[in-house]
Amino acid sequence: MDGDVLLQAIASGLLIGMVYALISVGLTLIFGLMEIVNFAHGEFLMLAMYAAFFGRSLLGLDPMLSMPATVGLLFLLGVLTYRGLISRILHAPMLAQIFATFGLGLFLRGLAQFFWSSDFRSVQDPFLAGLSGGNVNVGAVSLGVPQIAAACLAGLAFLALYLFIDRSRTGLALQAVAEDRATASLMGINSDRMFALGWGLGAACVGIAGAVLATFYYIYPSVGVVFALIAFITVALGGFGSVPGALVAGLLVGLVEVVSPTLFGFSPAYKYAVVFGFYLVVVLVRPQGLFGRF
Amino acid sequence: MLLEVSRLSAAYAGVPALHDVSFGVGEGQIVALVGANGAGKTTTLRTISGLLHPVRGQIAFRGQRLDGQPAHRIAELGIAHVPEGRRLFSRLTVRQNLLVGAHGKRARASENEAMERVLTMFPRLRERADQRAGTLSGGEQQMVAIARGLMLRPVLLMLDEPSLGIAPKLVDEIFTTIRAIAREGTTILLVEQNVRESLELADHAYVLQTGSTIADGTGAEILASDLIRRAYLGI
Ligand SMILES: Nc1ncnc2c1ncn2[C@@H]1O[C@H](COP(=O)(O)OP(=O)(O)OP(=O)(O)O)[C@@H](O)[C@H]1O
Ligand SMILES: [Mg+2]
């Protein structure tokens, strides 16, 4: 086993792991706030990627330039999803809540297929791919600029989100509502607004992830499925509702996915099987996840 | 009257808990609500603060109807409810709990002064400011709960069992604090297991039995009435 190859795998795993973490934190934020799993999370990501794609093909804007708009649109999508759908099923049985978000996901996927066909698309000449020839070499390790940028942006977004939740007045109110919405209302906090904000933020995280993924990933209606699956695992692994847990678990999943084929010499086609196997082992040992709080 | 509750009835999922509750709280008063376990004291406070919507009856605060309004809007009118069992945000620190208490628009502007005021009132909380609320002792948690209520700069402070499960020495401290809060001009509606102490403290008291107010008088009058003491208060 070549040390450089392993190093290369570790670096690549950590980079994609940051993106997984960012996608997952949106999911865990919503769950931590109101104990609802957004099964349309992957489709939110898919829409963000299409937004980046059309920004380029229709308006000539690079995904990095259209990112603020993509994030804004996704925030709006999250708020609208809460207002139009989730707020109506807040007190419904869990199964109804599952079907509602799952159904929304299927609907969005169908819509994308109908309007945009199931062709695989990719963003033409993304700025990042052209930067420094598209690669950065550190010793024997070579990393793609888009992947590095994706990881850095994901890290920045993660940090901003963490500071917002931990330090700002609104962030504290979000935490208060997450723990005890009735008592929070006695402090003048409107939990309905906080829920809408939580959905907006959760979707906005996916907006950033989608914009950067669009620079190096194919875009098609069901592109969100595999990312959503990974996000569910990451959230369960990190502990449902835990923000630091999403970060650690995202990095772990990225590492396991990329390093294990290299390390054990099997085909990368089985990488997800290994990720799911890893997940099963962890939840058997620690059902609440790494940072779980129950 | 600052707060006027008339012929209030309320239910939990269709099961009646309050039948006919009527009482008033005058500006600057300390009013006690006493009664046996399950009489409906907590339910009365929850209905006033909007956590529970009344089935019938009216609640008026400074002449404005409260019944049917959501809790967060009632809080903005200056009614702080320190709930039974404290209900702190356990994962937040003491300071963060207090900041959440000042979330409303009415409290936000004077947040710093309010923080200074409650930390002076409860010096122990200053030492514990960065500790997670869930790891505090019962007595300290109760101080945070009261302090968090005060952060709202309330006109009316409703306290539900502030001495429950607290060491006797601290109970005295809490009652002294309640008296001090009242002296500074905040009106207080008090629900207490410590019937004797709360009646000694109260300007006026109402006796609640199985969801109805059945007697009232000054604290001293209720304490002096053998019938009420034996039949409804068990003291
Ligand atoms: N969440 C609830 N769901 C259903 N019934 C409830 C609920 N809370 C209280 N009750 C019922 O309402 C009635 C009044 O209860 P409440 O808690 O208001 O009494 P209380 O006077 O505060 O008693 P305690 O001194 O024990 O605190 C009781 O019969 C109680 O069983
Ligand atoms: Mg009670």
Side-chain angles (χ1 to χ4, degrees):
Chain A
M1 165 94 250
D2 188 342
D4 287 343
V5 177
L6 184 63
L7 218 56
Q8 170 82 46
I10 290 176
S12 307
L14 289 176
L15 291 187
I16 192 67
M18 279 308 295
V19 177
Y20 290 165
L22 182 60
I23 298 173
S24 308
V25 80
L27 198 60
T28 216
L29 189 72
I30 292 169
F31 181 85
L33 196 57
M34 54 205 304
E35 309 206 336
I36 287 181
V37 177
N38 178 20
F39 284 99
H41 207 61
E43 280 61 45
F44 284 12
L45 180 75
M46 174 270 292
L47 289 177
M49 291 172 77
Y50 271 105
F53 172 77
F54 286 119
R56 174 79 214 185
S57 69
L58 300 181
L59 307 172
L61 285 174
D62 189 83
M64 290 301 105
L65 286 177
S66 62
M67 186 154 71
T70 305
V71 173
L73 281 175
L74 265 286
F75 184 90
L76 208 65
L77 175 68
V79 171
L80 288 178
T81 302
Y82 173 73
R83 292 265 186 241
L85 181 67
I86 308 300
S87 66
R88 290 154 212 274
I89 53 159
L90 268 186
H91 305 287
M94 191 170 79
L95 213 57
Q97 297 175 339
I98 291 175
F99 284 130
T101 62
F102 196 74
L104 175 67
L106 286 178
F107 173 71
L108 293 175
R109 214 184 303 160
L111 220 55
Q113 204 144 8
F114 181 77
F115 285 114
W116 307 323
S117 87
S118 45
D119 294 350
F120 279 47
R121 324 242 193 174
S122 56
V123 172
Q124 291 303 306
D125 309 320
F127 162 74
L128 288 172
L131 208 62
S132 119
N135 278 293
V136 173
N137 298 308
V138 187
V141 176
S142 164
L143 299 168
V145 174
Q147 283 83 353
I148 295 174
C152 292
L153 276 169
L156 279 178
F158 212 99
L159 184 68
L161 184 70
Y162 176 78
L163 290 177
F164 172 75
I165 292 175
D166 199 58
R167 302 286 152 83
S168 76
R169 174 191 303 283
T170 310
L172 289 181
L174 274 173
Q175 291 189 64
V177 168
E179 184 163 344
D180 185 345
R181 67 185 82 157
T183 303
S185 73
L186 298 177
M187 272 84 262
I189 298 171
N190 182 349
S191 59
D192 199 50
R193 285 187 60 185
M194 291 299 146
F195 288 156
L197 175 67
W199 276 81
L201 287 174
C205 289
V206 173
I208 296 174
V212 291
L213 278 176
T215 64
F216 62 92
Y217 219 89
Y218 283 115
I219 301 157
Y220 49 101
S222 57
V223 64
V225 174
V226 102
F227 283 104
L229 213 53
I230 288 177
F232 294 136
I233 287 188
T234 304
V235 166
L237 194 61
F240 271 96
S242 165
V243 171
L247 178 61
V248 173
L251 291 172
L252 266 178
V253 168
L255 272 179
V256 169
E257 174 188 311
V258 185
V259 173
S260 58
T262 312
L263 202 57
F264 304 113
F266 53 79
S267 155
Y270 298 115
K271 64 185 183 182
Y272 294 125
V274 179
V275 169
F276 296 133
F278 171 68
Y279 163 69
L280 283 179
V281 171
V282 174
V283 289
L284 281 177
V285 181
R286 215 179 137 72
Q288 73 272 44
L290 300 170
F291 290 70
R293 49 188 188 212
F294 58 81
Chain B
M1 284 287 152
L2 182 67
L3 178 78
E4 187 112 49
V5 175
S6 40
R7 313 227 55 177
L8 192 66
S9 66
Y12 289 101
V15 182
L18 301 182
H19 300 285
D20 183 4
V21 172
S22 300
F23 64 95
V25 180
E27 187 113 40
Q29 283 189 324
I30 299 180
V31 170
L33 215 50
V34 294
N37 290 122
K41 307 180 295 291
T42 297
T43 307
T44 301
L45 297 194
R46 288 171 58 86
T47 313
I48 294 169
S49 61
L51 292 178
L52 199 65
H53 292 306
V55 178
R56 265 189 311 280
Q58 292 190 7
I59 305 167
F61 181 69
R62 292 179 150 167
Q64 187 177 351
R65 289 281 291 272
L66 297 187
D67 39 287
Q69 292 205 47
H72 63 88
R73 209 163 298 148
I74 291 175
E76 288 283 13
L77 297 175
I79 299 181
H81 178 178
V82 179
E84 189 174 39
R86 309 184 273 265
R87 309 291 287 265
L88 299 185
F89 303 111
S90 63
R91 296 191 289 266
L92 299 186
T93 65
V94 170
R95 188 188 302 281
Q96 287 174 329
N97 266 275
L98 298 179
L99 289 174
V100 170
H103 183 88
K105 284 187 204 74
R106 65 171 280 115
R108 215 169 273 188
S110 53
E111 176 183 280
N112 292 336
E113 297 129 71
M115 178 72 82
E116 205 36 53
R117 173 180 174 225
V118 300
L119 292 181
T120 308
M121 192 176 281
F122 301 103
R124 203 177 317 212
L125 298 189
R126 201 186 291 273
E127 298 161 28
R128 306 263 167 197
D130 296 314
Q131 190 171 330
R132 280 187 200 285
T135 64
L136 296 171
S137 76
E140 289 163 346
Q141 290 196 7
Q142 189 60 60
M143 292 177 197
V144 178
I146 296 174
R148 186 180 61 180
L150 288 173
M151 290 298 289
L152 187 77
R153 296 237 148 177
V155 177
L156 172 68
L157 177 66
M158 305 197 295
L159 300 164
D160 195 346
E161 315 269 13
S163 76
L164 193 67
I166 286 173
K169 191 180 159 291
L170 264 182
V171 171
D172 289 343
E173 217 177 296
I174 295 222
F175 273 95
T176 310
T177 309
I178 294 172
R179 196 171 273 128
I181 294 168
R183 256 204 309 274
E184 286 175 29
T186 307
T187 307
I188 290 176
L189 178 57
L190 176 67
V191 165
E192 252 303 330
Q193 292 282 339
N194 271 314
V195 174
R196 187 180 304 275
E197 278 92 336
S198 61
L199 289 179
E200 280 166 6
L201 191 65
D203 299 306
H204 207 85
Y206 292 83
V207 180
L208 211 58
Q209 192 210 12
T210 55
S212 299
T213 33
I214 51 144
D216 75 303
T218 65
E221 280 166 7
I222 303 277
L223 262 182
S225 156
D226 268 351
L227 178 73
I228 291 172
R229 288 176 52 163
R230 250 185 287 116
Y232 305 115
L233 304 177
I235 55 172

